[in-house]
Each structure stands twice: as structure tokens, then as C-alpha cells.
Amino acid sequence: MSSWGMLNFQDSASPLMEQLIYFHDHAMLVVMMITTLVGYAMITLMKNKFLCRTLLESQQIEVIWTILPAIVLIFLALPSLRLLYLLDEVSNPLITFKAVGHQWYWSYEYSDFLNLEFDSYMIPEDELLKGDYRLLEVDHRAVVPMGCNVRALITSADVLHSWTVPSLGVKIDAVPGRLNQLSFLINRPGVFYGQCSEICGANHSFMPIVLEAVSLESFINWVLEFSN
């Protein structure tokens, strides 16, 4: 999770987030190269004492500053489109769960199992245990198996919400009357925190999202214990 003064992304826990970080680094490299080139040209022109009478209305220069940005946009657009389709891909999920946004908590339903539904409320500050994170801990975590394709169905019961877990690279709107879906794969065990990313009312800041990734065996044991 992010900490105080952290400027970079959170450590990725899914292949999607890894690709997002790679694309961010790629785009920042291109932007830095453009900034350096333009800055160098501006400083050179300001310090230059010579004049060129044939520079104005030059067809060669206009062709160059039209073609070069087009090439740069191609280098940015192709990886971006590839990543966009990867984010929307939902194929052969092993587990499906449904997250429903409420004012102001989340409820989860595991449709693959019977009677596996629960509400997830934020733990008040005066009830936190030592080592718990303020405004992020919940009474019931959503548990998912790691190393498996997981599909999440997201909707809302009242107003607009947004189900977001930054370390997994997932963010999707919870819209009343609409069922949105996303797919992710968690490649390491751990507890991953998120928050509602759509301003949804007075307690918008108090409906965190907590995903716990465990092994498939531990997930099955959790399902059996919770169902009983």
C-alpha cells in the first residue's frame, strides 16, 4: 500500500499493474525527450545572434514539425491501445464475485457458492487493533485465490461509487442498475487496500476496499468456514 510521502506507484500485484507501470515509464521517457529537445531549441534560439531570411514559411520545417509529432503519437498510441484491450479482457474466470456499493459500505456476493454473502464495513478508529491501518481496515475482507483469473461484477444499490484497488491496477464504476465487470489475476499473497474513487456523499471517505489474496487451498477452507 502507499505510505506517507510516496511519489511512485504502489508495488504491482498483478500483470495488469505491471503493464500499466511499464507504459507509464515509456510515456514519461518520451515526454522527457520532447521536453529536453524543445528546451534545447528554445535556449539555442534565444542565444543565437544570427538571422536566417529563408527560415520563415519554410516548407521543410513545416513538414518536419508535422511528421515528428505524428511518429511520437504512434509510439504512444500503439502500446496504449494494446493495454486498453488487455484491461477489458475477461476470459475463463475461475472465481466470480459481485461487489455492490452502498452508502457507505460494500457488500460482496460469491455466486459460485451458496449462502456466501457479507457486508464489509470500515472499522471505527476506536476499535482498531495495533498495526491496523486507519480508515482502511474492514470487519470482513473479500478473499480471493492468487494465481487464478478472478472476475468481479460491480454495481451499486443507490448512487455512483467506484471500486478501486491501485496495486492491482483495477478501477471500475459502480452504477445503479448497471452491472460492470473486470478481470484480474493476483500473482502474490497479501492484503491489498483500495477506496471508493467516486464522490458518493458525506461518508465517501469511509468505505474502504480490502482484498486478501491467499492460496487456493486456503480459499476453499475459508469458503467452507464462512458457509457454515
Side-chain angles (χ1 to χ4, degrees):
M1 61 172 294
S2 58
S3 58
W4 177 259
M6 184 175 179
L7 299 178
N8 297 323
F9 291 105
Q10 298 183 22
D11 293 336
S12 65
S14 70
L16 290 179
M17 189 58 188
E18 289 181 3
Q19 294 298 318
L20 285 170
I21 293 176
Y22 291 155
F23 176 71
H24 169 267
D25 295 343
H26 169 72
M28 287 302 297
L29 179 62
V30 173
V31 169
M32 289 176 63
M33 292 174 59
I34 294 174
T35 304
T36 303
L37 179 61
V38 173
Y40 173 77
M42 290 176 61
I43 294 174
T44 303
L45 288 174
M46 286 188 294
K47 291 185 176 181
N48 189 12
K49 297 181 180 179
F50 298 98
L51 297 176
C52 181
R53 293 180 299 174
T54 62
L55 183 62
L56 297 178
E57 299 183 4
S58 174
Q59 294 295 330
Q60 292 84 358
I61 292 180
E62 291 190 5
V63 169
I64 290 173
W65 69 38
T66 301
I67 293 179
L68 282 182
I71 295 175
V72 172
L73 288 177
I74 291 174
F75 276 97
L76 288 175
L78 293 181
S80 176
L81 290 174
R82 171 182 169 273
L83 186 55
L84 185 63
Y85 281 102
L86 283 177
L87 292 173
D88 288 339
E89 182 69 21
V90 179
S91 58
N92 299 324
L94 182 67
I95 298 294
T96 298
F97 71 88
K98 181 180 179 183
V100 183
H102 303 266
Q103 289 181 313
W104 288 273
Y105 65 95
W106 294 94
S107 62
Y108 294 93
E109 305 171 9
Y110 287 74
S111 57
D112 298 322
F113 310 99
L114 296 175
N115 301 322
L116 187 50
E117 301 178 6
F118 57 89
D119 297 330
S120 181
Y121 288 89
M122 187 193 75
I123 299 178
E125 188 173 353
D126 55 355
E127 298 179 10
L128 291 175
L129 301 176
K130 185 177 181 180
D132 287 346
Y133 296 107
R134 175 178 171 271
L135 302 182
L136 288 177
E137 297 291 346
V138 295
D139 54 357
H140 293 100
R141 295 172 175 173
V143 181
V144 293
M146 67 175 185
C148 304
N149 283 322
V150 179
R151 177 174 60 181
L153 305 175
I154 313 297
T155 188
S156 173
D158 35 49
V159 299
L160 288 175
H161 300 280
S162 185
W163 197 83
T164 307
V165 184
S167 56
L168 302 181
V170 295
K171 179 182 183 296
I172 190 166
D173 289 337
V175 183
R178 179 186 176 97
L179 203 61
N180 293 326
Q181 70 172 357
L182 59 86
S183 177
F184 59 87
L185 184 147
I186 304 178
N187 51 23
R188 60 184 172 91
V191 179
F192 308 102
Y193 296 91
Q195 289 178 303
C196 176
S197 299
E198 184 74 34
I199 297 177
C200 55
N203 291 332
H204 157 68
S205 302
F206 305 103
M207 49 182 302
I209 302 159
V210 183
L211 275 184
E212 183 175 356
V214 298
S215 64
L216 187 58
E217 295 79 7
S218 299
F219 174 76
I220 294 174
N221 294 332
W222 174 79
V223 170
L224 294 175
E225 292 176 4
F226 204 97
S227 299
N228 295 330

